[in-house]
Amino acid sequence: MNIPVTSRIAPASRPLAGRVSLVTGSTSGIGLGIARALAAAGSDVVLNGFGDATEIDRTRERISKECAVTVSYSPADMSEPRSIGDMIAAALAQHGRLDILVNNAGIQHVAPLEKFPVEKWDQILAVDLSSAFHTTRAALPAMRRNRFGRVINIASAHGLVASPFKAAYVAAKHGLVGLTKVTALETAEEGITCNAICPGYVYTPLIEAQIDGQARAHGISRDEVIRDVLLAQQPNKRFATVEELGALAVFLSTDAAASITGIALPVDGGWTAH
Ligand code: NAD
């Protein structure tokens, strides 16, 4: 039986120096916040996601300059298994290693079960759940070779509890929590951890898009939507921030978190304590 020793003492200010991270869906919102935080902690980063090419290039250059790390970009579609395989292969070819994989890309659709469009169900399951299976299975061999890896799955409070009208999203996020546990168990002896972060409401473009729509639907103000609709379940009545999630992803990626694996950690202001 080996007694563990900390093999790698990294400077506190850049604890991820020398690491390579890939964050899916990192052209916006939580993914971008996590990518920035990983880069600020010293990791090279591969961005991924949709958006305006010029804007993405500007973001890539800004993070690279501010954090003095290499930042690349893959436009791979997370609903396409072959593109996902190509993205991981290209990241390994360019950077020579992949240490931190953040499965963050996600989409949402809200409709009653009987009216839920079948193609939306398929699309949400593909992007919010299956993409993490495809990225993880492609990334694990390199992590196993290095005897180091961090897989961080951005699930949701909806990976732990349900809300009506979100059948596909809730099913996908519960599935992602299950995948997290299996990944953790299969890699536990190899220096690899896998955890799920389960945010409640976080202020991002995905949420901003819902505020005006809900205000119109309910005939109430934006403030009322935020307090009485969106944050109705969130006891602390505040949105979490992308910076808070970025800091958590950095911590889970450090050597200090080596024994944290297989968990689904709520960051939900008390929502799932109900
Ligand atoms: P967002 O819409 O701001 O960002 C989503 C990102 O995913 C974008 O970069 C987008 O380009 C990318 N993306 C979407 N489809 C893709 C595809 N097929 N291939 C590649 N990239 C794709 O959303 P967000 O609020 O930042 O959400 C990020 C993750 O966090 C999602 O998994 C979401 O379910 C989860 N989450 C968000 C909240 C919240 O309140 N915002 C709460 C809990 C969980």
Side-chain angles (χ1 to χ4, degrees):
M1 181 74 194
N2 292 328
I3 297 173
V5 288
T6 302
S7 54
R8 182 177 173 278
I9 308 288
S13 62
R14 285 171 77 82
L16 304 182
R19 301 290 190 209
V20 176
S21 308
L22 187 153
V23 186
T24 71
S26 49
T27 51
S28 168
I30 294 170
L32 180 55
I34 290 175
R36 274 189 210 286
L38 293 169
S43 174
D44 289 341
V45 173
V46 182
L47 299 174
N48 157 259
F50 299 147
D52 175 69
T54 315
E55 186 58 34
I56 293 170
D57 212 41
R58 221 175 280 143
T59 302
R60 196 180 58 69
E61 277 175 17
R62 196 178 318 126
I63 298 175
S64 174
K65 208 166 171 186
E66 284 172 5
C67 303
V69 296
T70 301
V71 182
S72 55
Y73 165 69
S74 164
D77 183 339
M78 289 304 103
S79 65
E80 296 285 339
R82 189 172 299 167
S83 309
I84 294 171
D86 291 347
M87 173 183 75
I88 301 289
L92 286 167
Q94 182 179 355
H95 296 274
R97 57 189 297 135
L98 181 55
D99 304 292
I100 299 158
L101 168 66
V102 183
N103 290 307
N104 166 79
I107 52 174
Q108 171 67 287
H109 185 80
V110 180
L113 202 52
E114 313 91 290
K115 295 192 176 141
F116 210 95
V118 171
E119 62 280 7
K120 287 282 180 202
W121 169 273
D122 289 343
Q123 201 184 2
I124 290 172
L125 268 286
V127 176
D128 294 21
L129 174 58
S130 298
S131 71
F133 163 71
H134 296 296
T135 56
T136 303
R137 70 196 292 272
L140 279 181
M143 292 180 175
R144 284 199 161 104
R145 271 197 302 279
N146 292 341
R147 296 198 70 75
F148 180 89
R150 296 287 187 263
V151 181
I152 300 173
N153 293 326
I154 306 305
S156 167
H158 282 121
L160 303 169
V161 294
S163 294
F165 313 125
K166 296 185 175 177
Y169 188 82
V170 169
K173 296 297 188 180
H174 273 68
L176 189 55
V177 169
L179 176 65
T180 301
K181 294 176 183 174
V182 174
T183 307
L185 293 179
E186 290 190 17
T187 58
E189 292 187 46
E190 294 170 276
I192 299 168
T193 68
C194 178
N195 295 293
I197 295 177
C198 297
Y201 280 100
V202 185
Y203 188 74
T204 68
L206 185 140
I207 295 303
E208 176 56 38
Q210 294 181 27
I211 296 176
D212 287 333
Q214 294 265 12
R216 272 194 305 277
H218 295 282
I220 56 178
S221 70
R222 281 175 56 91
D223 282 352
E224 286 168 322
V225 169
I226 291 170
R227 192 188 61 242
D228 301 333
V229 181
L230 296 182
L231 298 182
Q233 304 274 21
Q234 202 150 301
N236 69 345
K237 300 293 174 204
R238 72 181 279 277
F239 290 112
T241 67
V242 300
E243 289 78 14
E244 289 163 13
L245 293 172
L248 177 56
V250 167
F251 173 68
L252 289 174
S253 300
T254 61
D255 297 331
S259 289
I260 301 175
T261 196
I263 62 161
L265 182 63
V267 183
D268 64 1
W271 175 349
T272 52
H274 276 304

